[in-house]
């Protein structure tokens, strides 16, 4: 009932606040993703989590046909409203990083299905459409949502680079959506057994390698409540973009 839902929300909010407090490097930015809900306190909840941190954009709830598409929507006919929200987010990101390029941005959320990967994919493509060189890293080594969303199967993956068996340049593949081109470091499923290869001493040099040839490096990292990889990605990146889905 309501008590259980409130307790779950408080737990997630507490975990998010703990994550914010645990950040060592970078600036935390909160993105609000709206959903249909009867609860009127959700905006206040997001403001409480964000504190004085900027909320860069609000992404509207997807139309059912757009949501059923499953892939990137920047160039999708019939998704002008949704695509424009991601372009607005890209413009905001462009503005605040104007004097800080190249830059690395970790993207995370409190839990799964918050729109983290959807944001990573469409933000990267929106940045690419503005003429920036973009690398998108599938850093959620347990789910590889970015690779699945873009329909890319890895020959050389993020895991291989982090493990030190392959170079970052060997893992990069080009991805094109219409006239938009970005680079992708795809993932492959790691499974649930064994420790994650994502450690600060491995991820940091990988990001630096990608920064040398890209304006923006986006890392689609796991949710905060899933594994510690989110904190590693945030610590290795200059900016952390946290996705908060209202009513979820």
């Amino acid at each position: 009932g309501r008590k259980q839902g409130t307790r779950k929300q408080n737990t997630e909010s507490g975990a998010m606040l703990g994550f914010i407090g645990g950040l060592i490097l970078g600036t935390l930015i909160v993105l609000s993703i709206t959903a249909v809900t009867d609860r009127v306190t959700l905006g206040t909840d997001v403001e409480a989590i964000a504190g004085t941190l900027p909320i860069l954009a609000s992404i509207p709830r997807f139309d059912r046909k757009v949501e059923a598409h499953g892939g990137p929507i920047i160039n999708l006919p019939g998704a002008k409203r949704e695509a424009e929200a991601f372009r607005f987010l890209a413009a905001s990101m462009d503005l605040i990083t104007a004097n800080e390029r190249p830059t690395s941005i970790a993207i995370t959320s409190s839990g799964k299905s918050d729109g983290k990967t959807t944001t990573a994919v469409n933000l990267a493509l929106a940045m690419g459409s503005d003429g920036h060189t973009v690398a998108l890293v599938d850093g959620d080594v347990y789910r590889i949502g970015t690779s699945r969303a873009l329909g890319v199967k890895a020959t050389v993956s993020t895991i291989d680079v982090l493990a030190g068996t392959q170079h970052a340049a060997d893992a990069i593949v080009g991805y094109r959506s219409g006239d938009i081109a970005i680079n992708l470091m795809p993932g492959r499923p790691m499974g649930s057994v064994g420790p994650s290869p994502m450690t600060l001493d491995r991820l940091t040099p990988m990001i630096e390698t990608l920064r040398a040839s890209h304006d923006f490096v986006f890392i689609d990292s796991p949710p905060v409540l899933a594994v510690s990889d989110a904190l590693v990605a945030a610590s290795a990146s200059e900016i952390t973009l946290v996705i908060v889905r209202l009513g979820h």
Side-chain angles (χ1 to χ4, degrees):
R2 178 176 294 273
K3 289 184 179 180
Q4 183 179 0
T6 302
R7 184 162 55 248
K8 178 182 178 183
Q9 183 186 17
N10 289 340
T11 300
E12 293 188 354
S13 297
M16 185 66 73
L17 289 170
F19 173 74
I20 292 171
L23 286 177
I24 300 173
L25 303 175
T27 303
L28 187 75
I29 299 171
V30 177
L31 169 71
S32 172
I33 294 186
T34 59
V36 173
T37 178
D38 293 329
R39 297 187 59 182
V40 296
T41 60
L42 289 172
T44 304
D45 292 339
V46 171
E47 289 177 3
I49 294 173
T52 59
L53 300 169
I55 298 177
L56 285 190
S58 180
I59 308 299
R61 185 172 185 262
F62 281 13
D63 178 89
R64 289 184 178 180
K65 291 183 179 179
V66 174
E67 189 171 3
H69 172 67
I73 55 93
I74 286 295
N75 288 330
L76 182 67
K80 183 178 180 180
R81 178 178 64 100
E82 294 85 352
E84 187 57 35
F86 288 112
R87 293 187 189 279
F88 180 88
L89 172 59
S92 298
M93 186 67 71
D94 201 2
L95 182 64
I96 67 171
T97 61
N99 299 319
E100 301 176 9
R101 294 188 200 129
T103 193
S104 53
I105 301 167
I107 302 177
T108 188
S109 62
S110 63
K112 63 180 183 179
S113 302
D114 283 344
K116 170 183 65 67
T117 296
T118 298
T119 300
V121 167
N122 288 289
L123 175 57
L125 288 170
M127 283 297 195
S129 71
D130 288 338
H132 296 297
T133 53
V134 176
L136 176 58
V137 176
D138 195 339
D140 192 343
V141 297
Y142 295 97
R143 298 178 63 87
I144 64 166
T146 299
S147 301
R148 288 186 173 128
L150 296 178
V152 176
K153 292 185 178 181
T155 301
V156 179
S157 71
T158 307
I159 292 176
D160 300 315
V161 178
L162 290 172
T165 60
Q166 297 288 344
H167 297 292
D170 298 326
I172 289 293
V173 297
Y175 178 85
R176 182 172 290 275
S177 176
D179 59 351
I180 306 173
I182 64 171
N183 287 326
L184 171 70
M185 182 180 288
R188 60 177 172 81
M190 184 180 131
S192 58
V193 180
S196 168
M198 187 177 289
T199 60
L200 194 59
D201 61 334
R202 292 173 176 176
L203 182 60
T204 300
M206 187 188 87
I207 290 176
E208 288 305 307
T209 298
L210 295 175
R211 273 168 41 95
S213 55
H214 297 87
D215 297 326
F216 290 92
V217 178
F218 293 101
I219 302 96
D220 181 18
S221 68
V224 174
L225 299 182
V227 291
S228 61
D229 289 4
L231 183 56
V232 173
S235 298
S237 303
E238 293 161 292
I239 295 175
T240 302
L241 187 64
V242 178
I243 312 304
V244 179
R245 183 169 185 173
L246 302 187
H248 187 262

